[in-house]
């Protein structure tokens, strides 16, 4: 299989691994194959309304084991952007989860 020449797999979640609360056919088999062959899966989302912990729990409910460090969200990207530009005081407009994640990051 050509894809097994890769070591690192990046996945968008909604619409790629699942739709709503329904896994897309083949998702578990593919992720199991990656794990069994020593590959790493990382999950991406542009949905800032949910925390990484929420995504860990959602994937767990769907049968996918993942750790917080397996995720990169739009909030992670925002934090990196703000830190790179040395912004320390901001006013954030968004969901409670979005604001909590920003506050937790400092």
């Amino acid at each position: 299989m050509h894809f097994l020449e890769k070591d690192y797999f990046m996945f968008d979640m909604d619409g790629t691994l699942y739709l709503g609360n329904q896994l897309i056919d083949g998702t578990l088999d593919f992720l199991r194959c990656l794990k069994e062959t020593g590959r790493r899966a990382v999950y991406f989302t542009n949905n800032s309304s949910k925390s990484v912990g929420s995504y860990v729990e959602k994937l767990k409910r769907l049968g996918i084991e993942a750790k917080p460090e397996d995720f990169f969200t739009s909030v992670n990207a925002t934090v990196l952007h703000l830190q790179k530009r040395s912004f320390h005081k901001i006013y954030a407009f968004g969901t409670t989860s979005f604001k909590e994640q920003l506050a937790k990051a400092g």
Side-chain angles (χ1 to χ4, degrees):
M1 293 183 187
H2 182 67
F3 70 88
L4 288 178
E5 295 173 5
K6 311 299 181 205
D7 296 321
Y8 198 81
F9 290 77
M10 299 165 48
F11 295 96
D12 181 40
M13 291 184 287
D14 196 16
T16 304
L17 300 177
Y18 57 79
L19 283 172
N21 290 311
Q22 182 70 37
L23 277 175
I24 292 176
D25 289 342
T27 296
L28 290 179
D29 291 335
F30 186 76
L31 293 175
R32 190 176 305 113
C33 178
L34 294 182
K35 186 174 184 176
E36 289 172 355
T37 58
R39 271 75 184 169
R40 177 148 186 233
V42 179
Y43 308 102
F44 287 78
T45 182
N46 62 352
N47 184 346
S48 65
S49 68
K50 296 179 184 170
S51 69
V52 167
S54 296
Y55 283 111
V56 169
E57 287 301 314
K58 178 171 184 151
L59 291 189
K60 184 177 183 180
R61 284 191 309 273
L62 294 172
I64 300 170
E65 291 297 322
K67 300 174 288 240
E69 58 268 23
D70 296 331
F71 292 84
F72 192 80
T73 70
S74 58
V75 178
N76 297 126
T78 300
V79 167
L80 290 173
H81 175 78
L82 295 171
Q83 289 172 338
K84 187 182 272 189
R85 288 176 172 54
S86 300
F87 290 126
H88 299 287
K89 291 183 179 186
I90 63 168
Y91 191 88
F93 291 89
T95 65
T96 300
S97 178
F98 173 71
K99 293 184 281 188
E100 287 173 351
Q101 290 174 77
L102 290 177
K104 185 177 178 182

